[in-house]
Amino acid sequence: MAENNTYQSQANELSNKLWAIANDLRGNMDASKFKNYILGIIFYRYLSERTESYMNDLLRNDGMTYESAYADERFRPTVEKWSLNRLGYIIKPKYLYKNLIEQINRNDFSIEDLEKAISDLTGSTMGQASEQDFTGLFNDMKLQDPDLGDVVSERTELISKVMSRIADIDFMLEESQFDVLGTAYMILIGLFASDAGKKGGEFFTPTGPSKLCATLATIGLDEARTVGDCTCGSASMLLEVKKHLTSGKVGHFYGQENNASTYNLARMNMLMHDIEYQRFDIYKGDTLKNDCYGDVKMTVQVCNPPYSLKWSADKSFEDDPRYSGAGKLAPKSHADFAFLEHMIYHMDPDDGRIAVLLPHGVLFRGGAEETIRKYIVRDLNRLDAVIGLPANLFHGTSIPVCLLVLKTKRNGNAGNILFIDASKEFTPGKNQNTLEDVHINKIVNAYKERKDIDKFCHVAKLEEIEENGYNMNIPRYVDTFEPEEEIDLNEVAAEIRKLQGEIKDIDAQLKPYFDELGLDFPFDVEG
């Protein structure tokens, strides 16, 4: 509890500082652009300090620093090679963040210096194994944008102010308990995710549902060879999985994201969480049209795809091995099952797990979706659990969603599916409900124990599901009906007689006033 309080205190302080930076930009540009500059500069500072820290550690026994070694032409090629091999990029000492800040303090800095620094960094990755992971990372931080100022001096003044404020934030890189960079990222996403009409879900999944997915997908796993998210957004769910593995070891991360800005944020987030560029591949592209994973099979997959997204459902997809198994394509109006089929195709056949958030319609809609549902449940027999979550958990939509857990190895549960109605498990909020640890623990414990709990969960045999025509709507399996309180009719009759007596008394008091005014009294006092 003490650790949580400390973390929250540090996060609150950081949030205040980041908001102060945003206020420097207020009036110059739309709030939706704030994060591009703040995150971009935070990210550059991180890469700079990561470079210096790594290099100084390597050179300590030689009695040298990164700057002194780089200044020596004999050592420069070696330190550049080290930096490219381990970090994937080079930041020259003159472009280290601390040195840019010194320039600002001497009034000797121009925004063009930051442009050169970024160009030099990304240029160092060209032709290297890391090129894919760094190309275009800073594209959203448009340093020549007129919103920053009409002339170089105005843009320089504003960016200098932002850089100086970010320099004042203690990133506490030596403290492993508080991930200030990741926290800064999430705070900014939270502050600006809904701006300019953007849906929050485009960027990240709220902590509660993300943590629940990661927990359920990793039960009993010490490590994972591969972890994937086919609509990865900011990559927050990918990183959440790592936290819930016993050893925290992941061989390789895979993600795909169609939105260009969010794709950049995902790669930043992976690097800011110290995931080496060699251990992740985040692809830009439409998952449903273009499967960038190839034949990769995943140990763990988590996903919060856009709900009921429209897609082409073109006949050419009938030959796509991801969608061909069921014999029908997901309908044009709802691509939910197309995302799920993509994930199923990439499940590790030995021990693949999926935890995916989808709208409740996938549980009961008919037509092609019913065919696909039968295929997944009856033919593949990979659906392990169906969990109904509360409404209003997500930015941009108030609908309740369900969480589906799928496994290639059902571990003795091949003859049943667990249904959990967790729709009442939440803490109410002003704008959004929250899934707290107490709710997550209750759901996870029920999943592990896999026993019927009145009004909460039911282990349904496949025969029961077949009898229901493969309609998986949760109320068919978990009875949440609450009987109404019995009504005492004698008590009600007595109350009615009492009220009638009071009405007569009032009528008797009103009638003389009507008589005095010469008006007909509309009620029968005698009756």
Side-chain angles (χ1 to χ4, degrees):
M1 183 62 73
E3 277 189 18
N4 286 340
N5 290 339
T6 301
Y7 173 86
Q8 192 58 51
S9 173
Q10 290 172 319
N12 289 341
E13 181 181 355
L14 181 61
S15 182
N16 292 334
K17 289 179 178 179
L18 293 175
W19 187 244
I21 297 170
N23 281 330
D24 286 336
L25 295 170
R26 191 183 299 280
N28 289 76
M29 64 185 67
D30 291 336
S32 59
K33 288 186 176 182
F34 290 179
K35 67 182 184 304
N36 298 335
Y37 295 94
I38 298 172
L39 278 174
I41 292 172
I42 285 176
F43 183 57
Y44 186 85
R45 177 186 161 183
Y46 169 71
L47 294 180
S48 171
E49 294 183 1
R50 189 181 182 208
T51 295
E52 192 170 23
S53 174
Y54 174 68
M55 286 301 178
N56 287 344
D57 283 346
L58 283 180
L59 295 163
R60 183 169 289 113
N61 292 336
D62 298 313
M64 303 178 76
T65 66
Y66 174 50
E67 291 185 89
S68 64
Y70 198 92
D72 191 321
E73 292 185 1
R74 292 173 300 167
F75 295 110
R76 187 181 304 159
T78 301
V79 295
E80 286 185 339
K81 183 179 179 181
W82 287 347
S83 188
L84 282 173
N85 288 345
R86 173 65 173 82
L87 305 177
Y89 61 91
I90 298 169
I91 294 182
K92 294 173 183 175
K94 68 177 180 178
Y95 291 138
L96 289 173
Y97 195 82
K98 68 175 187 180
N99 292 333
L100 295 177
I101 293 298
E102 285 183 11
Q103 281 185 255
I104 291 172
N105 293 336
R106 295 196 308 264
N107 293 319
D108 188 28
F109 171 81
S110 168
I111 195 170
E112 292 174 344
D113 294 319
L114 181 59
E115 287 183 273
K116 289 175 185 175
I118 291 170
S119 176
D120 198 71
L121 184 161
T122 54
S124 72
T125 70
M126 299 296 288
Q128 305 296 323
S130 58
E131 181 178 353
Q132 175 188 311
D133 296 312
F134 284 86
T135 300
L137 267 181
F138 294 93
N139 281 357
D140 290 326
M141 193 170 70
K142 303 182 188 304
L143 295 175
Q144 296 184 13
D145 193 325
D147 282 350
L148 289 174
D150 293 324
V151 295
V152 171
S153 60
E154 290 177 352
R155 296 197 293 274
T156 296
E157 181 181 359
L158 191 56
I159 285 297
S160 295
K161 191 181 294 185
V162 174
M163 288 177 68
S164 295
R165 282 191 180 273
I166 288 173
D168 289 337
I169 297 175
D170 182 4
F171 276 8
M172 297 172 283
L173 291 177
E174 71 283 356
E175 290 188 20
S176 59
Q177 290 183 353
F178 182 57
D179 174 17
V180 68
L181 290 165
T183 304
Y185 176 86
M186 290 306 168
I187 288 170
L188 285 167
I189 293 301
L191 287 174
F192 305 126
S194 299
D195 285 336
K198 292 180 180 291
K199 294 181 180 179
E202 181 182 335
F203 296 96
F204 79 115
T205 301
T207 302
S210 178
K211 187 174 182 179
L212 178 61
C213 284
T215 304
L216 292 171
T218 57
I219 288 173
L221 277 183
D222 180 49
E223 58 186 51
R225 186 174 58 83
T226 45
V227 174
D229 183 343
C230 62
T231 61
C232 67
S234 67
S236 61
M237 287 182 76
L238 280 173
L239 293 163
E240 189 67 35
V241 169
K242 184 177 183 293
K243 296 178 187 177
H244 294 276
L245 294 166
T246 309
S247 69
K249 292 180 181 177
V250 175
H252 204 88
F253 292 92
Y254 292 90
Q256 189 162 341
E257 174 55 43
N258 196 35
N259 179 284
S261 294
T262 317
Y263 162 68
N264 288 337
L265 294 176
R267 292 183 293 158
M268 283 186 189
N269 205 11
M270 298 299 284
L271 291 166
M272 287 199 293
H273 283 78
D274 206 25
I275 307 297
E276 297 91 346
Y277 74 91
Q278 303 97 325
R279 293 203 303 114
F280 73 85
D281 284 294
I282 306 292
Y283 300 101
K284 165 73 176 69
D286 184 329
T287 295
L288 301 182
K289 292 180 182 177
N290 182 22
D291 183 4
C292 295
Y293 293 166
D295 293 326
V296 173
K297 301 300 180 183
M298 310 281 184
T299 311
V300 174
Q301 294 179 82
V302 288
C303 189
N304 181 22
Y307 304 144
S308 299
L309 182 75
K310 291 180 174 60
W311 76 309
S312 70
D314 189 271
K315 282 187 68 67
S316 62
F317 286 125
E318 292 176 358
D319 297 323
D320 189 313
R322 295 176 295 167
Y323 312 129
S324 59
K328 285 193 176 182
L329 296 173
K332 291 182 179 181
S333 55
H334 302 95
D336 307 301
F337 268 118
F339 284 111
L340 182 55
E341 288 177 293
H342 165 91
M343 298 174 77
I344 290 172
Y345 176 76
H346 287 288
M347 291 180 84
D348 186 322
D350 294 326
D351 188 12
R353 292 114 175 279
I354 289 174
V356 57
L357 297 159
L358 292 170
H360 276 270
V362 299
L363 302 176
F364 55 79
R365 288 192 295 245
E369 290 186 295
E370 182 180 343
T371 301
I372 299 170
R373 190 166 56 245
K374 285 181 180 178
Y375 171 69
I376 293 171
V377 174
R378 180 186 60 197
D379 301 334
L380 297 181
N381 194 8
R382 292 189 179 182
L383 184 60
D384 194 56
V386 176
I387 302 166
L389 297 180
N392 201 29
L393 285 180
F394 300 88
H395 294 283
T397 180
S398 60
I399 64 167
V401 303
C402 63
L403 193 164
L404 305 185
V405 181
L406 294 91
K407 301 176 79 172
T408 50
K409 302 297 183 186
R410 299 286 308 285
N411 300 325
N413 296 314
N416 63 70
I417 294 173
L418 176 67
F419 288 81
I420 299 176
D421 183 348
S423 58
K424 296 177 182 176
E425 301 301 317
F426 66 93
T427 298
K430 183 178 179 182
N431 299 315
Q432 190 176 325
N433 296 327
T434 306
L435 201 63
E436 306 277 6
D437 282 352
V438 63
H439 311 121
I440 293 171
N441 292 338
K442 182 177 178 180
I443 295 167
V444 172
N445 288 337
Y447 176 79
K448 288 179 178 178
E449 292 175 8
R450 213 173 182 89
K451 296 177 181 177
D452 282 18
I453 300 175
D454 189 40
K455 311 294 184 189
F456 187 65
C457 64
H458 171 60
V459 181
K461 292 183 178 179
L462 292 184
E463 291 82 3
E464 184 179 351
I465 291 165
E466 184 179 3
E467 288 171 7
N468 278 313
Y470 294 91
N471 184 320
M472 314 283 286
N473 203 15
I474 296 172
R476 285 179 175 254
Y477 303 92
V478 182
D479 179 14
T480 58
F481 176 76
E482 297 287 349
E484 293 185 13
E485 245 183 84
E486 286 191 13
I487 298 172
D488 187 333
L489 294 179
N490 291 329
E491 188 176 317
V492 172
E495 182 65 22
I496 291 172
R497 286 194 295 272
K498 178 186 174 186
L499 291 172
Q500 287 175 333
E502 291 175 356
I503 291 170
K504 285 182 181 179
D505 290 342
I506 293 170
D507 287 348
Q509 294 174 37
L510 289 174
K511 189 173 184 307
Y513 293 105
F514 276 78
D515 291 343
E516 187 175 336
L517 293 170
L519 299 173
D520 291 333
F521 190 65
F523 304 107
D524 182 6
V525 178
E526 299 301 323

